[in-house]
Amino acid sequence: MNIDTIRQDTRGLSDGKIFMNNAGSSLMPSIVADSMIDYLELEEQIGGYEVAAKNAEVLEEFYDETARLINAKPSNIAFATSATEAYAKALSSIMFKEGDVIITTADDYISNQITFISIKKKLKVNVIRTKNLPDNELDLEDLEYLIKKHNPKLIAVTHIPTNSGLIQNVEGVGKLCRQYDILYLVDACQSVGQLAVDVEKLGCDFLSATGRKFMRGPRGTGFLYVSDKVLERNYAPLLLDMRGADWTEFDNYELFKSAKRFESWEISYASLMGFTHALQYANNIGLHAIEHYNKGLSERLRENLKNSGFDVWDWGKNLSSIVTFSDPDGDLGTIQNVLKENNIYFSVTQKNSALIDFTRKNINGIVRLSPHYFNTVEEIDIVSDVLGKVL
């Protein structure tokens, strides 16, 4: 991994900023932005249908590159305009009825939690959260107990919560789901692009991800992985269009065989082009190399913050490239001001986005830094020194 080349490929770094908000929306490599601009300029000249036809083979590479990224087949991949859309389409394909059970975790993403509550209110589905062990890892014994007791329709887990660096044991959950033949949905919004994610090892039926975060793609992009088991059982979104099925009779249709049935016919093809290049860029570097490099950066930053006296709120055995912290008084304002003054990019998460986790930790919010493979060790130390002066 050539860090100098990667930084040269990232025009957003040319103004001297230190960018550490990759868990929010990362900086695109130049080839991603350029490919989208070129595509739109051609659309301006000859129209969207003609450009899509001329670029059909290149656009189809999206499915190959995504499959390569997560160890799947192209037929298991659907493009989505966001991880949220992908997640919602997966959920909508499951015919919940009154009394069904969804098991999730206390660390699931805010939008997922709200969606579960909505399903509970509208369809009278029961939502149960499995316990955490004292070290914040998932209690798989409790999960198995809940499975035997409730026979859930679905188990849904967020791989890496947005509000902390915790990497949840999605592989361990997957083994239980396979053992008891339960549908398994993984939100990989924060993990795809910073970790090597292998759907065969995870054993999931659905996996949703976004383009804008650690994948370094454009906003308005994402994907959904759908397993062969789910496809063979004819799961499909509640609201299909002609991208998902063939209209065979006046009052009937036939589902298409691949995961493309989870797509919508109308999308931004310029965005699809950009995301395809982002996938190629990450694949060419290699996710194992990215994961190893990111681990070194985040561990160094986390340790520096602890040594300076900050409270670091990433609890768990396995931690990611999301680093969350506050000062001992819980004041975030001074930290934010210092980071802004030094052109350091970050984000803040308030309690209403992580209600269960922050109530358990007795905090109202955190500052979040999320370094990525275009950051340097020198930048980690600069940020650490700047923050060290706050206390």
Side-chain angles (χ1 to χ4, degrees):
M1 196 170 76
N2 190 321
I3 187 69
D4 292 331
T5 300
I6 290 167
R7 289 180 68 84
Q8 289 169 11
D9 289 342
T10 309
R11 290 192 293 256
L13 298 174
S14 61
D15 60 358
K17 71 168 68 72
I18 297 179
F19 192 90
M20 292 195 183
N21 190 19
N22 297 285
S25 187
S26 188
L27 300 179
M28 292 182 287
S30 55
I31 192 171
V32 174
D34 290 345
S35 69
M36 295 174 67
I37 292 168
D38 291 345
Y39 194 99
L40 287 172
E41 286 179 344
L42 192 54
E43 274 196 354
E44 181 185 23
Q45 297 299 318
I46 65 174
Y49 281 19
E50 287 74 10
V51 181
K54 287 173 68 72
N55 288 276
E57 288 187 15
V58 178
L59 293 170
E60 195 68 18
E61 290 177 11
F62 161 77
Y63 302 96
D64 299 320
E65 292 294 338
T66 306
R68 178 183 167 197
L69 182 81
I70 61 171
N71 189 28
K73 295 179 296 187
S75 59
N76 296 123
I77 306 301
F79 176 79
T81 57
S82 68
T84 300
E85 184 206 22
Y87 201 86
K89 285 200 170 185
L91 283 174
S92 80
S93 73
I94 304 168
M95 293 295 101
F96 293 106
K97 61 183 185 298
E98 183 174 345
D100 282 342
V101 171
I102 297 173
I103 296 178
T104 185
T105 75
D107 290 290
D108 231 50
Y109 178 51
I110 173 178
S111 291
N112 302 347
Q113 298 276 15
I114 290 172
T115 297
F116 298 146
I117 296 168
S118 176
I119 293 173
K120 179 179 180 179
K121 288 184 174 184
K122 293 175 180 177
L123 300 179
K124 301 188 186 311
V125 168
N126 297 312
V127 179
I128 298 172
R129 299 180 183 96
T130 191
K131 294 177 182 177
N132 290 75
L133 296 168
D135 61 3
N136 212 44
E137 295 293 319
L138 288 176
D139 188 337
L140 295 183
E141 287 188 10
D142 179 64
L143 177 58
E144 186 168 17
Y145 165 78
L146 293 175
I147 289 171
K148 291 177 179 178
K149 181 178 180 180
H150 297 287
N151 187 26
K153 190 89 167 233
L154 173 72
I155 292 177
V157 179
T158 295
H159 196 176
I160 299 176
T162 190
N163 52 278
S164 83
L166 172 69
I167 302 175
Q168 301 211 86
N169 186 3
V170 288
E171 191 171 331
V173 175
K175 290 177 181 176
L176 288 173
C177 289
R178 278 183 284 196
Q179 180 181 342
Y180 292 96
D181 192 23
I182 299 164
L183 286 174
Y184 183 28
L185 168 59
V186 173
D187 178 341
C189 198
Q190 294 287 10
S191 58
V192 165
Q194 69 152 305
L195 303 179
V197 174
D198 185 330
V199 292
E200 288 299 315
K201 291 181 179 178
L202 267 55
C204 56
D205 296 295
F206 300 100
L207 181 141
S208 61
T210 187
R212 77 175 193 271
K213 297 182 184 288
F214 290 96
M215 277 308 308
R216 304 184 63 199
R219 295 195 73 174
T221 61
F223 68 82
L224 177 67
Y225 160 81
V226 186
S227 71
D228 286 338
K229 179 182 80 174
V230 166
L231 292 173
E232 289 163 5
R233 294 181 182 180
N234 287 333
Y235 281 77
L238 178 63
L239 301 176
L240 280 164
D241 71 7
M242 62 184 183
R243 184 69 166 169
D246 184 29
W247 190 16
T248 54
E249 300 176 49
F250 286 1
D251 294 310
N252 204 1
Y253 59 80
E254 183 176 336
L255 286 173
F256 293 138
K257 300 297 183 184
S258 77
K260 287 182 181 178
R261 71 176 71 152
F262 284 82
E263 297 181 350
S264 297
W265 187 81
E266 181 56 34
I267 60 170
S268 166
Y269 281 90
S271 298
L272 175 59
M273 175 68 78
F275 192 21
T276 300
H277 282 290
L279 288 156
Q280 290 170 340
Y281 195 89
N283 280 332
N284 288 339
I285 294 172
L287 268 297
H288 289 285
I290 290 171
E291 179 178 346
H292 177 75
Y293 185 80
N294 282 357
K295 186 175 179 63
L297 292 181
S298 57
E299 285 180 349
R300 188 181 184 97
L301 178 58
R302 209 172 269 120
E303 193 62 28
N304 288 349
L305 291 171
K306 288 178 181 177
N307 290 339
S308 293
F310 288 98
D311 290 329
V312 176
W313 297 106
D314 306 316
W315 295 359
K317 293 179 181 177
N318 299 307
L319 300 179
S320 70
S321 198
I322 295 178
V323 180
T324 64
F325 65 100
S326 64
D327 70 27
D329 296 327
D331 175 38
L332 305 182
T334 303
I335 297 172
Q336 293 179 72
N337 291 336
V338 168
L339 290 172
K340 288 176 182 176
E341 288 167 3
N342 287 275
N343 206 18
I344 299 165
Y345 282 61
F346 65 98
S347 62
V348 173
T349 301
Q350 302 293 348
K351 188 173 183 177
N352 64 338
S353 290
L355 196 57
I356 299 172
D357 185 43
F358 285 8
T359 298
R360 179 175 54 197
K361 292 173 177 174
N362 194 29
I363 54 175
N364 291 315
I366 50 89
V367 174
R368 184 181 70 180
L369 293 171
S370 45
H372 205 9
Y373 64 91
F374 55 69
N375 291 120
T376 64
V377 173
E378 289 75 19
E379 287 181 324
I380 295 295
D381 290 341
I382 290 170
V383 172
S384 301
D385 291 341
V386 164
L387 288 170
K389 296 173 183 176
V390 171
L391 299 182

